Amino acid sequence: MGSVPSTPRKSGTFSPETAEYLIGTLVGSQPFPLSSEFWQKLLELPLNVQWPAQRVQQACELLAKNNCHTRHLAKILFHLARCLQESVSSSGVSPLVYEKAVNAVYFSSIFLKYLIESVQGDIQLYLSLEDDEAVPKDVLRDQTIENFVMRNVLNFIASVEVSPDTFLLHLELLNFMIIAMSTQLLCGSSPGPNDVNPFLDAAMAQDSSLIGSVVRRLLLNFMMRSDVPFNRATYSILSDGSQSSVLQRVGSAAANIVLFPFSYLVSSSGEGSKGPIADISIHVLLVLVHYHKCVMSDDYANNKSSTSDFLLKENSHFSENPYCKALEHAIDCELDRLDIEGNAHSAQNIKLPFALLFDTLGICLADEAAVLLLYSLLQGNSAFLEYVLVRTDLDTLLMPILEALYNASTRTANQIYMLLIILLILSQDSSFNASIHKLILTGVPWYKERLLHQTSLGSFMVIILIRTVQYNLSKLRDVYLQTTCLATLANMAPHVHRLSAYASQRLVSLFDMLSRKYNKLAEHKDNKLHTTKGNSFEGNNLVEDMSTELHIYTDFLRLVLEIINAILTYALPRNPEVVYAIMHRQEVFLPFKNHPRFNELIDNIYTVLDFFNSHMDAQRENGDWSVNEVLQVITVNCRSWRGDGMKMFTQLRFTYEQESHPEEFFIPYVWQLVLSHCGFSFNTGAINLFPVDLQTEGFENGVVGSTLQNGDFDKPEYQLDP
């Protein structure tokens, strides 16, 4: 099959012409069999060889042209899998073995990425070998190449510890995973049976024991956040030689800048990630956990007479995701005990240090990926949710969430939704709602509107949720966000304990703000009805739109009144500041006393007002009362309050439930996060998974920047069930 020039060992000199020949042969038109010496020569190229960027592009184009004949992509993937097998087969592995594996994964990543993002029409990667290819016995067996390589990649990630010798290989394998799974970007936002994701499907097909080990390892990588220095000085294959000045050190290791910067260690600003393996591990995990494989029902597959999208969707279903299942069944390694039914936990359940996971999430919630991981755990894993709810230091999680909501103007809409859903999930538990009022914050330095001193976490959560509602009213005007905030407040209301004066004032001010908006809309609607009576169709549509908005605000107002009522009905003796705030602003409730939607709720408020006003009048002396004097009278009379005359309403309880197709939100959202942080760009013209604004295409730090629209996919589908 042609001669292969000898390659000097690492200790000797190395000829650039040899690298040129070997890489040229890889992408050329002449096929080399798996058994050829060529593959070993290629993989033994020194890690500091450089190749000009324009030659890399030419190489990718040539491989794309010749791969259907040579099947060299499949062959380099085969050799990658074999190198990984060698890397885990015995102790004391030679550094040369790891270097060969790094070369193999690096070549594979570069060419695979180019082929995926250059696809026109159906994806065709030519991953099968020719029938006459001599494959060593007992290696592939009945496996496809993609299954063979994914099994060995996942096995290495799960079973080999991150060390100075293996750090770079771990990092590049995780990057390879992102690239191999990026075929999802070519699919539509709703998974269909015709989607082609060979590597993702291969990952799903692995043994449950391996899958559990992978999920555990990726989470441990995220928790450990170790910055292990690797032992090689440089790694610059396929790098532009003129860029040597930008080789920068992270720890004791120099990272490479290449045309496709898979190493992820360096940005153009010179700031490396403090935990690159931790960051990319969570991205890989999120892609795996949220993948949905759409398969056709047997009857339709055998008798299909139409290929319309509607019929395909109606006659398809999603196969079970084993990574999602493994995450949902993870248990605390410190609490390996019998479950509620008295049955021992399955031996297949992965065991994690929940304490470390809890603390790590608290540290990392400024990152959207960590927020999505926390959501996935709380929504799917009842053991972790239970663990969180019994923690006495809930501020570890809640304060970063509340700070992110406080800075909502700098967050994406999707991140705000996730944060609010997390709070809603937690607020479904009565013990959570009680415990947050027992935890006292000595101060909140980042809250600028007012100096907060000795405020309960519960009071502060009420303050931030109300602030989020007010921000939404003025900026986002999003009904989903509004409803979620108010639903969380409604869940909290019956359990409020000694709500602070400031939080109580903000609650009454929220009702006032909504009522003014409601009155303005009602007045505007009446004016439009008068001016458009018998007039244009357009005018009628405008009135109909205003009626819809007025109905929405009516619901908001009633919900706020129900929140106040729940506090007065179930927790009044413990909340004198709420009573004071209502008495201080009692005039804001008067206009709604006869409103058919509000009158019963307003009656309860006036029952409370009448009780405390009468006691105030009985003790009133000449002169004005100070705030403290009024509050003292309220506090004393709270003890004698029995709730006489109060109409009892069903206690509100809102729950979060995913709808039947959450993947239509989560898959695009996960990939948006991945592309925004993974360290390499992707051809925006090839992305079908979510809308990309090609007019503002730009790159920042080697990452797709403003090309990705921040945030505004369809809302995560869920149900609020009172």
Side-chain angles (χ1 to χ4, degrees):
M1 301 298 293
S3 61
V4 179
S6 62
T7 306
R9 305 303 299 170
K10 302 294 184 285
S11 58
T13 59
F14 187 85
S15 167
E17 290 76 15
T18 303
E20 177 84 14
Y21 176 85
L22 290 172
I23 298 172
T25 301
L26 172 65
V27 302
S29 59
Q30 182 179 0
F32 278 70
L34 287 172
S35 58
S36 171
E37 186 186 359
F38 158 74
W39 297 105
Q40 294 306 311
K41 302 291 185 183
L42 178 72
L43 298 183
E44 289 176 4
L45 282 173
L47 298 186
N48 59 358
V49 174
Q50 296 177 341
W51 222 36
Q54 65 272 19
R55 296 289 288 142
V56 177
Q57 181 69 18
Q58 292 172 5
C60 289
E61 292 170 357
L62 280 172
L63 184 88
K65 176 183 177 182
N66 296 318
N67 185 51
C68 61
H69 170 60
T70 64
R71 306 297 169 102
H72 278 182
L73 175 63
K75 292 171 185 176
I76 193 71
L77 288 171
F78 176 88
H79 282 285
L80 166 60
R82 294 292 280 167
C83 288
L84 294 175
Q85 286 180 331
E86 189 177 354
S87 299
V88 300
S89 60
S90 60
S91 59
V93 177
S94 165
L96 178 61
V97 174
Y98 293 132
E99 290 180 7
K100 287 169 58 180
V102 168
N103 274 343
V105 71
Y106 197 75
F107 282 124
S108 300
S109 296
I110 286 177
F111 293 121
L112 181 59
K113 178 178 180 293
Y114 178 84
L115 291 172
I116 291 172
E117 65 182 349
S118 302
V119 163
Q120 295 181 349
D122 296 334
I123 300 176
Q124 183 55 269
L125 300 175
Y126 299 102
L127 295 176
S128 61
L129 299 173
E130 297 290 357
D131 293 337
D132 59 352
E133 184 69 52
V135 181
K137 290 183 178 180
D138 298 326
V139 175
L140 271 181
R141 297 187 179 91
D142 296 328
Q143 295 181 91
T144 61
I145 288 292
E146 56 266 34
N147 190 290
F148 182 53
V149 71
M150 287 302 283
R151 179 164 64 85
N152 284 283
V153 168
L154 293 170
N155 186 52
F156 183 91
I157 291 171
S159 60
V160 177
E161 294 289 334
V162 178
S163 69
D165 285 331
T166 65
F167 180 91
L168 183 57
L169 181 52
H170 269 283
L171 193 60
E172 296 301 344
L173 286 173
L174 290 166
N175 280 310
F176 169 81
M177 288 283 295
I178 292 292
I179 287 145
M181 297 186 296
S182 69
T183 50
Q184 265 198 306
L185 291 167
L186 311 182
C187 305
S189 58
S190 179
N194 296 325
D195 292 348
V196 179
N197 296 295
F199 294 97
L200 262 168
D201 291 341
M204 297 294 142
Q206 302 306 313
D207 294 338
S208 60
S209 58
L210 175 57
I211 288 171
S213 298
V214 169
V215 171
R216 182 176 183 275
R217 172 55 59 189
L218 293 174
L219 284 169
L220 288 175
N221 286 347
F222 169 67
M223 288 183 268
M224 299 304 180
R225 309 198 69 77
S226 56
D227 183 20
V228 180
F230 55 92
N231 285 338
R232 295 299 303 182
T234 60
Y235 177 54
S236 308
I237 285 183
L238 307 188
S239 176
D240 187 340
S242 65
Q243 294 179 338
S244 58
S245 62
V246 298
L247 291 176
Q248 302 174 41
R249 303 192 74 79
V250 179
S252 64
N256 59 305
I257 288 289
V258 293
L259 180 63
F260 305 108
F262 296 114
S263 70
Y264 187 65
L265 289 172
V266 176
S267 67
S268 60
S269 65
E271 296 179 358
S273 167
K274 292 182 179 179
I277 284 185
D279 294 341
I280 197 166
S281 290
I282 193 174
H283 292 143
V284 169
L285 179 63
L286 289 173
V287 173
L288 289 169
V289 165
H290 288 283
Y291 177 60
H292 283 67
K293 170 68 173 175
C294 186
V295 295
M296 296 298 302
S297 62
D298 293 338
D299 292 341
Y300 185 79
N302 295 329
N303 302 296
K304 58 184 178 182
S305 57
S306 171
T307 57
S308 71
D309 291 340
F310 174 77
L311 286 176
L312 287 175
K313 195 165 186 176
E314 285 294 305
N315 292 278
S316 61
H317 64 277
F318 293 121
S319 58
E320 186 177 65
N321 183 323
Y323 293 87
C324 182
K325 184 178 179 181
L327 185 68
E328 290 177 349
H329 290 84
I331 59 175
D332 188 2
C333 61
E334 299 296 327
L335 200 64
D336 186 12
R337 53 177 174 75
L338 297 182
D339 60 23
I340 296 173
E341 290 77 22
N343 300 316
H345 288 298
S346 169
Q348 294 183 346
N349 287 0
I350 61 174
K351 300 174 184 178
L352 297 167
F354 277 4
L356 181 58
L357 181 56
F358 179 92
D359 292 339
T360 306
L361 286 166
I363 294 169
C364 299
L365 284 177
D367 176 24
E368 279 192 76
V371 172
L372 185 51
L373 176 60
L374 176 58
Y375 162 82
S376 301
L377 286 164
L378 294 178
Q379 194 277 327
N381 188 311
S382 58
F384 185 73
L385 174 59
E386 179 184 344
Y387 175 84
V388 170
L389 293 172
V390 299
R391 287 282 294 231
T392 57
D393 58 341
L394 283 166
D395 54 318
T396 301
L397 280 186
L398 289 183
M399 290 305 286
I401 292 174
L402 298 177
E403 184 176 7
L405 291 174
Y406 178 77
N407 295 308
S409 60
T410 65
R411 308 294 177 175
T412 67
N414 288 328
Q415 185 176 7
I416 296 172
Y417 299 141
M418 289 292 99
L419 292 167
L420 290 174
I421 290 171
I422 288 169
L423 294 181
L424 177 60
I425 291 172
L426 294 173
S427 73
Q428 293 168 192
D429 184 81
S430 58
S431 65
F432 167 85
N433 294 322
S435 62
I436 56 176
H437 290 282
K438 299 174 184 176
L439 203 158
I440 304 300
L441 306 173
T442 56
V444 186
W446 47 262
Y447 188 83
K448 304 300 183 184
E449 282 79 353
R450 175 179 291 224
L451 181 63
L452 298 176
H453 182 64
Q454 296 297 314
T455 300
S456 72
L457 179 59
S459 292
F460 187 60
M461 186 168 161
V462 169
I463 292 167
I464 294 297
L465 284 170
I466 291 173
R467 188 180 188 275
T468 304
V469 171
Q470 293 170 331
Y471 170 77
N472 180 57
L473 285 173
S474 62
K475 301 291 184 182
L476 301 179
R477 299 171 61 83
D478 188 299
V479 174
Y480 173 90
L481 186 151
Q482 202 84 325
T483 306
T484 309
C485 284
L486 295 177
T488 305
L489 286 168
N491 285 346
M492 295 169 61
H495 310 280
V496 165
H497 184 85
R498 301 199 66 80
L499 195 67
S500 71
Y502 183 50
S504 301
Q505 294 164 18
R506 301 313 302 155
L507 182 58
V508 176
S509 295
L510 174 62
F511 177 82
D512 184 36
M513 180 183 184
L514 288 169
S515 65
R516 283 186 277 111
K517 179 67 174 176
Y518 172 87
N519 289 330
K520 185 177 180 180
L521 280 171
E523 182 182 355
H524 198 36
K525 178 191 172 187
D526 290 341
N527 291 338
K528 286 295 179 183
L529 275 173
H530 180 72
T531 57
T532 61
K533 186 174 289 185
N535 285 345
S536 68
F537 177 75
E538 182 179 343
N540 291 333
N541 283 342
L542 179 60
V543 170
E544 186 177 337
D545 290 342
M546 293 177 64
S547 297
T548 301
E549 189 173 7
L550 188 63
H551 180 74
I552 290 170
Y553 274 88
T554 303
D555 289 342
F556 288 162
L557 267 177
R558 181 173 176 87
L559 194 46
V560 174
L561 284 174
E562 288 178 320
I563 291 166
I564 295 172
N565 256 267
I567 297 174
L568 298 180
T569 303
Y570 299 102
L572 186 148
R574 305 190 301 271
N575 291 284
E577 292 287 3
V578 175
V579 176
Y580 179 88
I582 293 171
M583 293 182 68
H584 184 65
R585 299 289 307 279
Q586 55 189 288
E587 74 281 353
V588 303
F589 301 103
L590 187 59
F592 300 94
K593 199 168 185 179
N594 297 317
H595 193 292
R597 285 288 305 278
F598 309 142
N599 58 346
E600 290 182 319
L601 295 165
I602 295 290
D603 285 346
N604 272 357
I605 292 175
Y606 272 92
T607 298
V608 173
L609 287 171
D610 291 343
F611 175 85
F612 284 94
N613 282 331
S614 64
H615 283 79
M616 290 289 297
D617 292 339
Q619 300 179 46
R620 185 180 299 278
E621 299 175 357
N622 293 332
D624 295 331
W625 289 41
S626 69
V627 171
N628 286 337
E629 288 173 334
V630 174
L631 193 57
Q632 184 177 2
V633 172
I634 291 172
T635 303
V636 169
N637 286 284
C638 276
R639 298 167 191 161
S640 61
W641 168 258
R642 296 294 179 265
D644 295 337
M646 295 285 282
K647 180 177 175 59
M648 299 298 292
F649 294 92
T650 302
Q651 193 174 122
L652 288 180
R653 185 174 183 273
F654 290 85
T655 59
Y656 170 77
E657 292 182 8
Q658 281 190 346
E659 291 246 5
S660 56
H661 293 288
E663 71 283 347
E664 294 180 4
F665 168 80
F666 286 105
I667 293 176
Y669 182 38
V670 167
W671 277 104
Q672 183 197 30
L673 295 181
V674 169
L675 289 186
S676 296
H677 298 89
C678 66
F680 53 85
S681 61
F682 194 91
N683 175 19
T684 54
I687 296 175
N688 294 315
L689 185 61
F690 50 81
V692 178
D693 184 3
L694 296 177
Q695 299 303 316
T696 59
E697 184 170 345
F699 293 88
E700 182 180 354
N701 297 339
V703 185
V704 176
S706 58
T707 59
L708 299 178
Q709 295 176 339
N710 275 340
D712 298 319
F713 304 129
D714 293 336
K715 309 295 186 297
E717 296 185 355
Y718 83 121
Q719 296 173 343
L720 278 173
D721 296 331

